């Protein structure tokens, strides 16, 4: 069904969970993943986004994320990020919970006060010896970048394929308690995020999908086949 504000039926008791993917940052100039034929900036996922790839060639992986981190300096939040930040400001974090699969920092820079970065963040690195040793990091990592707490080697603070995303218990709790679920700019092929829609649906939530590739997304109550940066500023979601 196309967007219908009446059928969306947002009330003072409603609670929304929003899931964003790489498509939300596409209009800022960051390449998505599936749209480039399954390669990530010309690299095979196995080489740059798996623990095995890191063991095989740590320098390649570190340099790959150095480049992704450096890219952030040249991009800015687009109207999609800004609309979602304004919506969260209006509703508050309790009633508008934002989950992103993106590892860029554009939701944060747009002003979203709560962002659960379930696949990690480019601007953080962590200790190989103690996963709780996570530090903010802006520059260029090398093999000599050591943990400030225990001097061990560090790795990008990114969830690679085969690893468990962050804060899954909190995510499941929010999905079970939401009345409205929106997923934007994600191809819904990477699990567990691809399954969030069905969890929210089984909790009785209304489901809205925003994606310019309407043919490639699974069914939803509402589907808006437009770019996120064009659709979101024009929508009255709450
Ligand atoms: P994906 O690349 O698999 O899918 C992108 C989706 O966005 C597609 O369905 C496409 O139709 C849609 N899209 C393209 N332009 C859009 C626009 N302007 N507005 C709305 N939608 C648009 O992305 P994914 O599902 O997020 O999964 C890829 C994985 O790769 C993620 O887990 C993520 O960690 C990683 N990744 C992150 C970034 C980033 O941080 N910006 C970029 C590339 C990949």
């Amino acid at each position: 069904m196309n967007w219908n504000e009446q059928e969306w039926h947002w009330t003072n008791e409603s609670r929304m969970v929003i899931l964003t993917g790489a498509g939300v940052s596409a209009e800022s100039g960051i390449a998505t993943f599936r749209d480039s034929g399954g390669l990530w900036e010309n690299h095979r996922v196995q080489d740059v986004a798996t623990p095995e790839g890191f063991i095989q060639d740590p320098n390649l992986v570190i340099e790959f994320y150095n480049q992704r981190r450096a890219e952030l300096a040249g991009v800015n939040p687009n109207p999609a990020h800004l609309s979602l930040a304004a919506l969260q400001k209006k509703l508050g974090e309790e009633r508008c919970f934002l989950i992103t699969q993106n590892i860029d920092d554009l939701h944060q820079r747009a002003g979203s006060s709560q962002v659960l970065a379930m696949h990690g963040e480019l601007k953080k690195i962590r200790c190989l010896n103690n996963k709780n040793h996570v530090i903010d990091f802006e520059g260029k990592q090398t093999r000599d970048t050591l943990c400030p707490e225990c001097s061990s080697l560090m790795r990008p603070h990114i969830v690679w394929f085969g690893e468990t995303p962050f804060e899954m218990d909190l995510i499941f709790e929010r999905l079970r308690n939401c009345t409205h679920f929106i997923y934007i700019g994600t191809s819904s092929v990477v699990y567990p995020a691809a399954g969030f829609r069905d969890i929210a649906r089984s909790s009785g939530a209304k489901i809205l999908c925003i994606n310019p590739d309407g043919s490639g997304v699974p069914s939803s109550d509402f589907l808006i086949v437009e770019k996120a940066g064009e659709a979101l500023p024009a929508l009255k979601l709450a």
Side-chain angles (χ1 to χ4, degrees):
M1 184 198 290
N2 290 331
W3 174 248
N4 179 321
E5 199 181 310
Q6 248 98 50
E7 298 277 337
W8 181 241
H9 196 62
W10 179 264
T11 73
N12 286 338
E13 310 303 317
S14 302
R15 294 169 310 282
M16 181 186 292
V17 172
I18 301 169
L19 172 70
T20 64
V24 160
S25 296
E27 289 157 82
S28 293
I30 301 182
T32 63
F33 171 51
R34 303 286 153 188
D35 292 341
S36 19
L39 293 177
W40 194 354
E41 298 288 348
N42 296 320
H43 288 81
R44 294 189 321 153
V45 168
Q46 300 93 296
D47 295 337
V48 296
T50 61
E52 295 77 19
F54 184 63
I55 291 166
Q56 192 154 344
D57 193 345
N59 289 329
L60 172 79
V61 175
I62 286 172
E63 191 44 36
F64 175 78
Y65 291 100
N66 280 339
Q67 284 174 17
R68 305 283 76 73
R69 194 179 301 116
E71 256 171 26
L72 298 182
V75 298
N76 290 305
N78 67 52
H81 300 105
L82 295 169
S83 297
L84 293 175
L87 183 64
Q88 192 176 51
K89 191 169 182 192
K90 176 178 172 187
L91 296 176
E93 296 172 14
E94 279 303 308
R95 298 182 65 215
C96 182
F97 189 73
L98 179 59
I99 306 166
T100 188
Q101 298 169 88
N102 295 343
I103 56 176
D104 63 50
D105 61 348
L106 295 179
H107 282 305
Q108 292 88 338
R109 277 161 55 193
S112 285
S113 52
Q114 173 275 322
V115 185
L116 197 163
M118 63 176 287
H119 288 167
E121 293 171 69
L122 281 169
K123 288 195 171 173
K124 290 185 176 166
I125 58 174
R126 76 166 180 269
C127 179
L128 274 177
N129 198 36
N130 184 333
K131 64 180 174 28
N132 296 319
H133 293 170
V134 181
I135 59 168
D136 292 335
F137 191 79
E138 290 273 356
K140 194 171 156 62
Q141 191 193 349
T142 70
R143 295 290 296 280
D144 299 326
T145 311
L146 299 180
C147 175
E149 299 215 43
C150 66
S151 300
S152 300
L153 296 173
M154 308 284 285
R155 59 164 275 182
H157 188 52
I158 302 294
V159 176
W160 289 325
F161 287 91
E163 299 182 320
T164 306
F166 299 124
E167 307 264 25
M168 289 305 297
D169 288 347
L170 175 60
I171 290 174
F172 287 138
E173 195 254 322
R174 291 303 182 127
L175 289 170
R176 281 194 297 266
N177 287 301
C178 73
T179 57
H180 294 71
F181 177 77
I182 308 175
Y183 62 112
I184 311 165
T186 174
S187 54
S188 297
V189 277
V190 179
Y191 279 83
F196 291 176
R197 178 200 59 243
D198 292 339
I199 298 171
R201 192 195 289 284
S202 64
S203 312
K206 291 180 185 282
I207 313 288
L208 164 63
C209 172
I210 301 174
N211 194 311
D213 181 4
S215 61
V217 296
S219 68
S220 304
D221 296 340
F222 304 98
L223 173 62
I224 298 179
V225 185
E226 282 177 38
K227 292 181 175 178
E230 292 168 8
L232 279 166
L235 273 181
K236 191 172 178 304
L237 292 166

